[in-house]
Coordinates of all heavy atoms in Angstrom, one line a residue:
M68 N -5.4 -6.5 8.3 CA -4.3 -5.6 7.9 C -3.1 -6.5 7.4 O -2.7 -7.4 8.1 CB -3.8 -4.7 9.1 CG -2.7 -3.9 8.7 SD -1.8 -3.0 10.0 CE -3.0 -2.3 11.1
P69 N -2.6 -6.1 6.3 CA -1.5 -6.9 5.7 C -0.2 -6.8 6.7 O -0.1 -5.9 7.4 CB -1.2 -6.2 4.4 CG -1.8 -4.9 4.4 CD -2.9 -4.9 5.4
L70 N 0.6 -7.8 6.5 CA 1.8 -7.9 7.3 C 2.7 -6.7 7.1 O 3.3 -6.2 8.1 CB 2.5 -9.2 6.9 CG 3.8 -9.6 7.6 CD1 3.5 -9.8 9.1 CD2 4.4 -10.8 7.0
I71 N 2.8 -6.2 5.9 CA 3.6 -5.0 5.6 C 2.7 -4.1 4.8 O 1.9 -4.5 4.0 CB 4.8 -5.3 4.7 CG1 5.9 -6.1 5.6 CG2 5.4 -4.1 4.2 CD1 7.1 -6.5 4.8
R72 N 2.8 -2.8 5.2 CA 2.1 -1.7 4.4 C 3.1 -0.7 3.9 O 4.0 -0.3 4.7 CB 1.1 -1.0 5.4 CG -0.1 -1.8 5.7 CD -1.1 -0.9 6.5 NE -0.3 -0.1 7.4 CZ -0.9 0.7 8.3 NH1 -2.2 0.8 8.4 NH2 -0.1 1.4 9.1
L73 N 2.9 -0.4 2.7 CA 3.8 0.6 2.1 C 3.5 2.0 2.7 O 2.4 2.3 3.0 CB 3.6 0.7 0.6 CG 4.0 -0.6 -0.2 CD1 3.6 -0.4 -1.7 CD2 5.4 -1.0 0.0
A74 N 4.6 2.7 2.8 CA 4.4 4.1 3.3 C 3.6 4.9 2.2 O 3.6 4.5 1.0 CB 5.8 4.8 3.5
E75 N 2.9 5.9 2.7 CA 2.1 6.7 1.8 C 2.8 7.2 0.5 O 2.2 7.2 -0.6 CB 1.5 7.9 2.6 CG 0.5 8.6 1.8 CD -0.2 9.7 2.6 OE1 -0.4 9.6 3.8 OE2 -0.4 10.8 2.0
Q76 N 4.0 7.5 0.7 CA 4.8 8.1 -0.4 C 5.5 7.0 -1.3 O 6.2 7.4 -2.2 CB 5.8 9.1 0.1 CG 7.0 8.5 0.8 CD 6.8 8.1 2.2 OE1 5.7 8.2 2.8 NE2 7.9 7.7 2.9
T77 N 5.3 5.8 -1.0 CA 6.0 4.7 -1.7 C 5.2 4.1 -2.8 O 4.0 3.8 -2.6 CB 6.4 3.6 -0.7 OG1 7.2 4.1 0.4 CG2 7.2 2.5 -1.4
V78 N 5.8 3.9 -3.9 CA 5.2 3.3 -5.1 C 5.9 2.0 -5.3 O 7.2 1.9 -5.3 CB 5.2 4.2 -6.3 CG1 4.7 3.5 -7.5 CG2 4.5 5.5 -6.0
F79 N 5.2 0.9 -5.5 CA 5.8 -0.4 -5.8 C 5.4 -0.9 -7.1 O 4.2 -0.9 -7.5 CB 5.4 -1.4 -4.7 CG 5.8 -2.9 -4.9 CD1 7.1 -3.2 -5.1 CD2 4.9 -3.9 -4.9 CE1 7.5 -4.5 -5.3 CE2 5.3 -5.2 -5.1 CZ 6.6 -5.5 -5.3
D80 N 6.4 -1.4 -8.0 CA 6.1 -1.9 -9.3 C 6.8 -3.3 -9.4 O 8.0 -3.3 -9.2 CB 6.5 -1.0 -10.4 CG 6.3 -1.5 -11.8 OD1 5.5 -2.5 -11.9 OD2 6.8 -1.0 -12.7
A81 N 6.1 -4.3 -9.6 CA 6.7 -5.6 -9.8 C 6.4 -6.2 -11.2 O 6.4 -7.4 -11.4 CB 6.1 -6.6 -8.7
A82 N 6.2 -5.4 -12.1 CA 5.7 -5.8 -13.5 C 6.6 -6.8 -14.2 O 6.1 -7.7 -14.8 CB 5.5 -4.6 -14.4
D83 N 7.9 -6.7 -14.0 CA 8.8 -7.6 -14.7 C 9.4 -8.7 -13.8 O 10.3 -9.3 -14.2 CB 9.9 -6.8 -15.4 CG 10.8 -6.1 -14.4 OD1 10.6 -6.1 -13.2 OD2 11.8 -5.4 -14.9
G84 N 8.8 -8.8 -12.6 CA 9.4 -9.9 -11.7 C 10.5 -9.4 -10.8 O 10.8 -10.0 -9.8
T85 N 11.1 -8.2 -11.2 CA 12.1 -7.6 -10.3 C 11.4 -6.4 -9.8 O 11.2 -5.4 -10.5 CB 13.3 -7.2 -11.1 OG1 13.9 -8.4 -11.7 CG2 14.4 -6.6 -10.2
G86 N 11.1 -6.4 -8.5 CA 10.4 -5.3 -7.9 C 11.2 -4.0 -7.7 O 12.4 -4.1 -7.5
V87 N 10.5 -2.9 -7.9 CA 11.1 -1.6 -7.7 C 10.2 -0.8 -6.7 O 9.0 -0.8 -6.9 CB 11.3 -0.9 -9.0 CG1 11.8 0.5 -8.8 CG2 12.2 -1.6 -9.9
L88 N 10.8 -0.2 -5.7 CA 10.1 0.7 -4.8 C 10.7 2.0 -5.0 O 11.9 2.2 -5.1 CB 10.3 0.2 -3.3 CG 9.6 -1.1 -3.0 CD1 10.6 -2.0 -2.2 CD2 8.4 -0.9 -2.2
M89 N 9.8 3.0 -5.0 CA 10.2 4.4 -5.1 C 9.6 5.2 -4.0 O 8.4 5.2 -3.9 CB 9.9 4.9 -6.5 CG 10.2 6.4 -6.7 SD 11.9 6.6 -6.8 CE 12.0 8.3 -7.4
D90 N 10.4 6.0 -3.3 CA 9.9 6.9 -2.3 C 9.7 8.2 -3.1 O 10.7 8.9 -3.4 CB 10.8 7.1 -1.1 CG 10.4 8.1 -0.1 OD1 9.7 9.1 -0.5 OD2 10.7 7.9 1.1
T91 N 8.5 8.6 -3.4 CA 8.3 9.8 -4.2 C 8.6 11.1 -3.5 O 8.9 12.1 -4.2 CB 6.8 9.8 -4.7 OG1 5.9 9.8 -3.6 CG2 6.5 8.6 -5.6
A92 N 8.6 11.1 -2.2 CA 9.0 12.3 -1.4 C 10.5 12.5 -1.4 O 10.9 13.7 -1.4 CB 8.4 12.2 0.0
E93 N 11.2 11.5 -1.2 CA 12.7 11.6 -1.0 C 13.5 11.2 -2.2 O 14.7 11.4 -2.2 CB 13.1 10.7 0.2 CG 12.5 11.0 1.5 CD 12.9 12.3 2.1 OE1 14.1 12.7 1.9 OE2 12.1 13.0 2.7
G94 N 12.9 10.6 -3.2 CA 13.6 10.2 -4.4 C 14.4 8.9 -4.1 O 15.3 8.6 -4.9
V95 N 14.1 8.1 -3.1 CA 14.8 6.9 -2.8 C 14.3 5.8 -3.7 O 13.1 5.6 -3.8 CB 14.7 6.5 -1.3 CG1 15.3 5.1 -1.1 CG2 15.3 7.5 -0.4
Y96 N 15.2 5.1 -4.4 CA 14.9 4.0 -5.3 C 15.5 2.7 -4.7 O 16.6 2.7 -4.4 CB 15.5 4.4 -6.6 CG 15.4 3.4 -7.7 CD1 14.3 3.4 -8.6 CD2 16.4 2.4 -8.0 CE1 14.2 2.5 -9.6 CE2 16.3 1.5 -9.0 CZ 15.2 1.6 -9.8 OH 15.1 0.6 -10.8
F97 N 14.7 1.7 -4.6 CA 15.1 0.4 -4.0 C 14.7 -0.7 -5.0 O 13.5 -0.8 -5.3 CB 14.4 0.3 -2.7 CG 15.0 -0.7 -1.7 CD1 16.0 -0.2 -0.8 CD2 14.6 -2.0 -1.7 CE1 16.6 -1.1 0.1 CE2 15.2 -2.9 -0.8 CZ 16.2 -2.5 0.0
E98 N 15.6 -1.4 -5.5 CA 15.4 -2.5 -6.4 C 15.4 -3.9 -5.6 O 16.4 -4.1 -4.8 CB 16.3 -2.5 -7.5 CG 16.0 -3.5 -8.6 CD 16.9 -3.4 -9.9 OE1 17.4 -2.3 -10.1 OE2 17.0 -4.4 -10.6
L99 N 14.5 -4.7 -5.9 CA 14.4 -6.1 -5.2 C 14.7 -7.1 -6.3 O 14.4 -7.1 -7.4 CB 13.0 -6.3 -4.7 CG 12.4 -5.3 -3.7 CD1 11.0 -5.6 -3.4 CD2 13.3 -5.3 -2.5
N100 N 15.4 -8.2 -5.8 CA 15.6 -9.4 -6.6 C 14.3 -10.1 -6.7 O 13.3 -9.8 -6.0 CB 16.8 -10.2 -6.1 CG 16.5 -10.9 -4.8 OD1 15.3 -11.3 -4.5 ND2 17.5 -11.0 -4.0
P101 N 14.2 -11.1 -7.6 CA 12.9 -11.8 -7.8 C 12.3 -12.4 -6.5 O 11.1 -12.4 -6.3 CB 13.2 -12.8 -8.9 CG 14.2 -12.2 -9.7 CD 15.1 -11.5 -8.7
T102 N 13.2 -13.0 -5.7 CA 12.7 -13.7 -4.5 C 12.2 -12.6 -3.5 O 11.1 -12.8 -2.9 CB 13.9 -14.5 -3.8 OG1 14.3 -15.5 -4.8 CG2 13.4 -15.2 -2.6
A103 N 12.9 -11.5 -3.3 CA 12.5 -10.5 -2.4 C 11.2 -9.9 -2.9 O 10.3 -9.5 -2.1 CB 13.5 -9.4 -2.3
T104 N 11.0 -9.8 -4.2 CA 9.8 -9.3 -4.8 C 8.6 -10.2 -4.4 O 7.5 -9.7 -4.0 CB 9.9 -9.2 -6.4 OG1 11.0 -8.3 -6.7 CG2 8.6 -8.7 -7.0
L105 N 8.8 -11.5 -4.5 CA 7.7 -12.4 -4.1 C 7.4 -12.3 -2.6 O 6.3 -12.3 -2.2 CB 8.2 -13.9 -4.4 CG 8.2 -14.2 -5.9 CD1 8.8 -15.6 -6.1 CD2 6.9 -14.2 -6.6
M106 N 8.5 -12.1 -1.8 CA 8.3 -11.9 -0.4 C 7.5 -10.7 -0.1 O 6.6 -10.7 0.7 CB 9.6 -11.9 0.3 CG 10.3 -13.2 0.4 SD 11.8 -13.1 1.3 CE 12.3 -14.8 1.4
L107 N 7.8 -9.6 -0.7 CA 7.1 -8.4 -0.5 C 5.6 -8.5 -1.0 O 4.7 -8.1 -0.2 CB 7.7 -7.2 -1.2 CG 7.0 -5.8 -1.0 CD1 6.9 -5.5 0.5 CD2 7.8 -4.7 -1.7
Q108 N 5.4 -9.1 -2.1 CA 4.0 -9.3 -2.6 C 3.2 -10.1 -1.6 O 2.1 -9.8 -1.3 CB 4.0 -10.0 -4.0 CG 4.5 -9.0 -5.1 CD 4.7 -9.8 -6.4 OE1 5.2 -10.9 -6.5 NE2 4.2 -9.1 -7.5
A109 N 3.8 -11.2 -1.0 CA 3.1 -12.0 0.0 C 2.8 -11.2 1.2 O 1.8 -11.3 1.8 CB 3.9 -13.2 0.3
A110 N 3.8 -10.4 1.7 CA 3.7 -9.6 2.9 C 2.6 -8.5 2.7 O 2.0 -8.1 3.7 CB 5.0 -9.0 3.3
L111 N 2.5 -8.0 1.5 CA 1.4 -7.0 1.3 C 0.0 -7.7 1.2 O -1.0 -7.0 1.3 CB 1.7 -6.3 0.0 CG 3.0 -5.4 0.0 CD1 3.3 -4.9 -1.4 CD2 2.7 -4.2 0.9
R112 N 0.0 -8.9 0.8 CA -1.3 -9.6 0.6 C -1.8 -10.3 1.9 O -3.0 -10.3 2.1 CB -1.1 -10.7 -0.5 CG -2.3 -11.5 -0.8 CD -2.0 -12.4 -1.9 NE -3.1 -13.4 -2.1 CZ -3.0 -14.5 -2.7 NH1 -1.8 -14.9 -3.3 NH2 -4.0 -15.3 -2.8
F113 N -0.9 -10.9 2.7 CA -1.4 -11.7 3.8 C -1.2 -11.0 5.1 O -0.4 -10.1 5.3 CB -0.6 -13.0 3.9 CG -0.9 -13.9 2.7 CD1 0.0 -14.0 1.6 CD2 -2.0 -14.7 2.6 CE1 -0.2 -14.8 0.5 CE2 -2.3 -15.5 1.5 CZ -1.4 -15.5 0.5
D114 N -2.0 -11.4 6.1 CA -2.1 -10.7 7.4 C -1.0 -11.2 8.4 O -0.7 -10.5 9.4 CB -3.4 -10.9 8.1 CG -4.5 -10.2 7.3 OD1 -4.2 -9.2 6.6 OD2 -5.7 -10.6 7.4
T115 N -0.5 -12.4 8.2 CA 0.5 -12.9 9.2 C 1.7 -13.5 8.4 O 1.6 -13.9 7.2 CB -0.1 -14.1 10.0 OG1 -0.3 -15.2 9.2 CG2 -1.4 -13.6 10.8
A116 N 2.8 -13.6 9.1 CA 4.0 -14.1 8.5 C 3.8 -15.6 8.2 O 4.3 -16.1 7.2 CB 5.2 -14.0 9.5
D117 N 3.1 -16.3 9.0 CA 2.8 -17.7 8.8 C 2.0 -17.9 7.4 O 2.4 -18.8 6.7 CB 2.1 -18.4 9.9 CG 2.9 -18.6 11.1 OD1 4.2 -18.6 11.0 OD2 2.4 -18.7 12.2
E118 N 1.0 -17.1 7.2 CA 0.3 -17.2 6.0 C 1.2 -16.9 4.8 O 1.1 -17.5 3.8 CB -0.9 -16.2 6.0 CG -2.0 -16.5 6.9 CD -3.0 -15.4 6.9 OE1 -2.7 -14.2 7.1 OE2 -4.2 -15.8 6.8
A119 N 2.0 -15.8 4.9 CA 2.9 -15.4 3.8 C 3.9 -16.6 3.5 O 4.2 -16.9 2.4 CB 3.6 -14.1 4.2
V120 N 4.4 -17.1 4.6 CA 5.4 -18.2 4.4 C 4.8 -19.4 3.8 O 5.4 -20.1 2.9 CB 6.1 -18.6 5.8 CG1 6.8 -19.9 5.7 CG2 7.0 -17.5 6.2
R121 N 3.6 -19.8 4.2 CA 2.9 -20.9 3.5 C 2.7 -20.7 2.0 O 3.0 -21.6 1.2 CB 1.6 -21.2 4.2 CG 1.7 -22.0 5.5 CD 0.3 -22.5 5.9 NE -0.6 -21.5 6.3 CZ -0.7 -20.9 7.4 NH1 0.1 -21.2 8.4 NH2 -1.6 -20.0 7.7
H122 N 2.3 -19.5 1.7 CA 2.2 -19.1 0.3 C 3.5 -19.2 -0.5 O 3.6 -19.7 -1.6 CB 1.6 -17.7 0.2 CG 1.5 -17.2 -1.2 ND1 0.6 -17.6 -2.2 CD2 2.3 -16.3 -1.9 CE1 0.8 -17.0 -3.3 NE2 1.9 -16.2 -3.1
L123 N 4.6 -18.6 0.1 CA 5.9 -18.6 -0.5 C 6.5 -20.0 -0.7 O 7.2 -20.2 -1.6 CB 6.8 -17.7 0.3 CG 6.5 -16.2 0.3 CD1 7.3 -15.5 1.4 CD2 6.8 -15.6 -1.1
A124 N 6.2 -20.8 0.3 CA 6.8 -22.2 0.2 C 6.3 -23.0 -1.0 O 7.0 -23.9 -1.4 CB 6.4 -23.0 1.5
E125 N 5.2 -22.5 -1.6 CA 4.7 -23.2 -2.8 C 5.6 -22.9 -4.0 O 5.6 -23.7 -4.9 CB 3.3 -22.7 -3.1 CG 2.3 -23.2 -2.0 CD 0.9 -22.6 -2.2 OE1 0.6 -22.0 -3.3 OE2 0.1 -22.8 -1.3
G126 N 6.3 -21.8 -4.0 CA 7.1 -21.4 -5.1 C 8.5 -21.1 -4.9 O 9.3 -20.9 -5.9
I127 N 9.0 -21.1 -3.7 CA 10.4 -20.9 -3.4 C 10.9 -22.1 -2.6 O 10.3 -22.6 -1.7 CB 10.5 -19.6 -2.5 CG1 10.1 -18.4 -3.2 CG2 12.0 -19.5 -2.1 CD1 10.0 -17.2 -2.4
D128 N 12.1 -22.6 -3.1 CA 12.7 -23.8 -2.5 C 13.5 -23.3 -1.3 O 14.7 -23.1 -1.4 CB 13.6 -24.5 -3.6 CG 14.2 -25.8 -3.0 OD1 13.6 -26.4 -2.1 OD2 15.2 -26.2 -3.6
A129 N 12.8 -23.2 -0.2 CA 13.5 -22.8 1.1 C 12.6 -23.3 2.2 O 11.4 -23.5 2.1 CB 13.6 -21.3 1.1
G130 N 13.3 -23.5 3.4 CA 12.6 -23.9 4.6 C 11.8 -22.7 5.2 O 12.0 -21.6 4.9
E131 N 10.8 -23.1 6.0 CA 10.0 -22.1 6.7 C 10.8 -21.1 7.5 O 10.6 -19.9 7.4 CB 9.0 -22.7 7.6 CG 7.8 -23.4 6.8 CD 6.7 -23.9 7.7 OE1 6.7 -23.5 8.9 OE2 5.9 -24.6 7.2
S132 N 11.8 -21.5 8.2 CA 12.6 -20.6 9.0 C 13.4 -19.6 8.1 O 13.5 -18.4 8.4 CB 13.6 -21.3 9.9 OG 14.5 -22.1 9.2
E133 N 13.9 -20.1 6.9 CA 14.6 -19.2 6.0 C 13.6 -18.2 5.4 O 14.0 -17.0 5.3 CB 15.2 -20.0 4.8 CG 16.4 -20.9 5.2 CD 16.8 -21.7 4.1 OE1 16.1 -22.7 3.7 OE2 17.9 -21.4 3.5
L134 N 12.4 -18.6 5.1 CA 11.4 -17.7 4.6 C 11.0 -16.6 5.6 O 10.9 -15.4 5.3 CB 10.2 -18.4 4.0 CG 10.5 -19.3 2.8 CD1 9.3 -20.2 2.5 CD2 10.9 -18.5 1.6
H135 N 10.8 -17.1 6.9 CA 10.5 -16.1 7.9 C 11.6 -15.1 8.1 O 11.3 -13.9 8.2 CB 10.3 -16.9 9.3 CG 8.9 -17.4 9.5 ND1 7.8 -16.5 9.9 CD2 8.4 -18.6 9.4 CE1 6.7 -17.3 10.0 NE2 7.0 -18.5 9.7
E136 N 12.8 -15.6 8.1 CA 14.0 -14.7 8.2 C 14.1 -13.7 7.0 O 14.4 -12.6 7.2 CB 15.3 -15.5 8.4 CG 16.5 -14.6 8.6 CD 16.4 -13.6 9.7 OE1 15.8 -13.8 10.7 OE2 16.9 -12.4 9.5
G137 N 13.8 -14.2 5.9 CA 13.8 -13.4 4.7 C 12.8 -12.3 4.7 O 13.1 -11.1 4.4
I138 N 11.6 -12.6 5.2 CA 10.6 -11.5 5.3 C 11.0 -10.5 6.4 O 10.9 -9.3 6.2 CB 9.2 -12.2 5.7 CG1 8.7 -12.9 4.5 CG2 8.2 -11.1 6.1 CD1 7.4 -13.8 4.7
R139 N 11.5 -11.0 7.5 CA 12.0 -10.1 8.6 C 13.1 -9.2 8.1 O 13.1 -8.0 8.3 CB 12.5 -10.9 9.8 CG 11.4 -11.3 10.8 CD 12.0 -11.8 12.1 NE 12.7 -13.0 11.9 CZ 12.2 -14.3 11.9 NH1 10.9 -14.4 12.0 NH2 12.9 -15.3 11.8
S140 N 14.1 -9.8 7.4 CA 15.2 -9.0 6.9 C 14.7 -7.9 5.8 O 15.2 -6.8 5.9 CB 16.2 -9.9 6.3 OG 17.3 -9.2 5.7
L141 N 13.9 -8.4 5.0 CA 13.3 -7.4 4.0 C 12.6 -6.3 4.6 O 12.8 -5.1 4.3 CB 12.4 -8.2 3.0 CG 11.7 -7.3 1.9 CD1 12.7 -6.6 1.0 CD2 10.8 -8.2 1.1
A142 N 11.7 -6.6 5.6 CA 11.0 -5.6 6.3 C 11.9 -4.6 7.0 O 11.7 -3.4 7.0 CB 10.0 -6.2 7.3
A143 N 13.0 -5.1 7.6 CA 13.9 -4.3 8.3 C 14.6 -3.3 7.3 O 14.8 -2.1 7.6 CB 15.0 -5.1 9.0
Q144 N 15.0 -3.8 6.2 CA 15.7 -3.0 5.2 C 14.7 -1.9 4.6 O 15.1 -0.7 4.5 CB 16.2 -3.8 4.0 CG 17.3 -4.7 4.3 CD 17.7 -5.6 3.2 OE1 17.0 -5.6 2.2 NE2 18.8 -6.3 3.3
L145 N 13.5 -2.3 4.4 CA 12.5 -1.3 3.9 C 12.1 -0.3 4.9 O 11.9 0.9 4.6 CB 11.2 -2.1 3.4 CG 11.5 -3.0 2.2 CD1 10.2 -3.7 1.8 CD2 12.1 -2.3 1.0
A146 N 12.0 -0.7 6.2 CA 11.7 0.2 7.3 C 12.9 1.2 7.5 O 12.6 2.4 7.7 CB 11.5 -0.6 8.6
E147 N 14.1 0.7 7.4 CA 15.3 1.6 7.5 C 15.3 2.7 6.4 O 15.7 3.8 6.7 CB 16.6 0.8 7.4 CG 17.8 1.6 7.6 CD 19.0 0.7 7.6 OE1 19.0 -0.4 8.3 OE2 20.0 1.0 6.9
S148 N 14.8 2.3 5.2 CA 14.7 3.3 4.1 C 13.4 4.1 4.2 O 13.1 4.8 3.2 CB 14.8 2.6 2.8 OG 16.1 2.0 2.7
R149 N 12.6 3.8 5.2 CA 11.2 4.5 5.3 C 10.3 4.3 4.2 O 9.6 5.1 3.8 CB 11.4 5.9 5.6 CG 12.0 6.2 7.0 CD 12.2 7.6 7.3 NE 13.4 7.9 6.5 CZ 14.1 9.0 6.6 NH1 13.7 9.9 7.4 NH2 15.1 9.2 5.9
L150 N 10.4 3.0 3.6 CA 9.5 2.7 2.5 C 8.2 2.0 2.9 O 7.3 1.8 2.1 CB 10.3 1.8 1.4 CG 11.4 2.5 0.8 CD1 12.3 1.5 0.0 CD2 10.9 3.6 -0.2
I151 N 8.2 1.5 4.2 CA 7.0 0.9 4.7 C 6.6 1.6 6.0 O 7.4 2.3 6.6 CB 7.2 -0.6 5.0 CG1 8.3 -0.9 6.0 CG2 7.5 -1.4 3.7 CD1 8.5 -2.3 6.4
E152 N 5.3 1.4 6.3 CA 4.7 2.0 7.5 C 5.1 1.1 8.7 O 5.0 -0.2 8.6 CB 3.2 2.0 7.4 CG 2.7 3.0 6.4 CD 2.9 4.4 6.8 OE1 2.9 4.7 8.0 OE2 2.9 5.3 5.9
P153 N 5.4 1.6 9.9 CA 5.6 0.8 11.1 C 4.2 0.2 11.4 O 3.2 0.9 11.4 CB 6.1 1.8 12.1 CG 5.9 3.1 11.6 CD 5.6 3.0 10.1
T154 N 4.2 -1.1 11.7 CA 2.9 -1.8 12.0 C 2.8 -2.1 13.5 O 1.7 -2.4 14.0 CB 2.8 -3.1 11.3 OG1 3.9 -3.9 11.6 CG2 2.8 -2.8 9.8
G155 N 3.9 -2.0 14.3 CA 3.8 -2.3 15.7 C 4.0 -3.8 16.0 O 4.2 -4.2 17.1
T156 N 4.0 -4.6 14.9 CA 4.2 -6.0 15.0 C 5.3 -6.4 14.0 O 5.2 -6.0 12.9 CB 3.0 -6.9 14.8 OG1 2.5 -6.6 13.5 CG2 1.9 -6.6 15.8
A157 N 6.3 -7.2 14.5 CA 7.4 -7.6 13.6 C 6.9 -8.7 12.7 O 6.2 -9.6 13.2 CB 8.6 -8.0 14.4
P158 N 7.2 -8.7 11.4 CA 6.8 -9.8 10.5 C 7.5 -11.1 10.9 O 8.5 -11.2 11.5 CB 7.3 -9.4 9.1 CG 7.7 -8.0 9.2 CD 7.9 -7.7 10.7

């Protein structure tokens, strides 16, 4: 199971490098900067925060602790907006 799962009503588009999430039920629109877009893509692809961070470290000039915190912060913001499913485990 991926680290983060989008809520059923959430659509994610990262076509131009700047990610956009849309809650189709509520009309909530959430735009991500390029770094947050990469973080979300990694969290959707990998099962653990460590795997996602290892992947991200290849393309983002930041330490592991910063990347872990970035993923946690992003997940918290998306959860607050109900754009992701609760997983029971914090990223």
Side-chain angles (χ1 to χ4, degrees):
M68 177 191 316
L70 184 60
I71 290 177
R72 288 184 321 183
L73 297 178
E75 185 176 325
Q76 75 278 3
T77 302
V78 177
F79 174 54
D80 181 16
D83 66 357
T85 301
V87 175
L88 293 134
M89 174 73 169
D90 179 331
T91 58
E93 299 291 325
V95 175
Y96 176 87
F97 199 90
E98 187 171 336
L99 302 174
N100 67 36
T102 301
T104 300
L105 291 172
M106 287 182 173
L107 179 57
Q108 288 173 317
L111 291 169
R112 179 177 169 201
F113 295 101
D114 294 335
T115 69
D117 288 337
E118 289 174 314
V120 165
R121 278 193 297 275
H122 172 77
L123 290 168
E125 295 174 10
I127 298 174
D128 185 24
E131 286 187 15
S132 64
E133 289 174 291
L134 293 172
H135 274 283
E136 180 54 36
I138 292 171
R139 274 191 295 277
S140 176
L141 177 61
Q144 290 176 352
L145 297 178
E147 185 176 310
S148 297
R149 290 178 284 190
L150 295 168
I151 62 173
E152 294 286 334
T154 61
T156 59

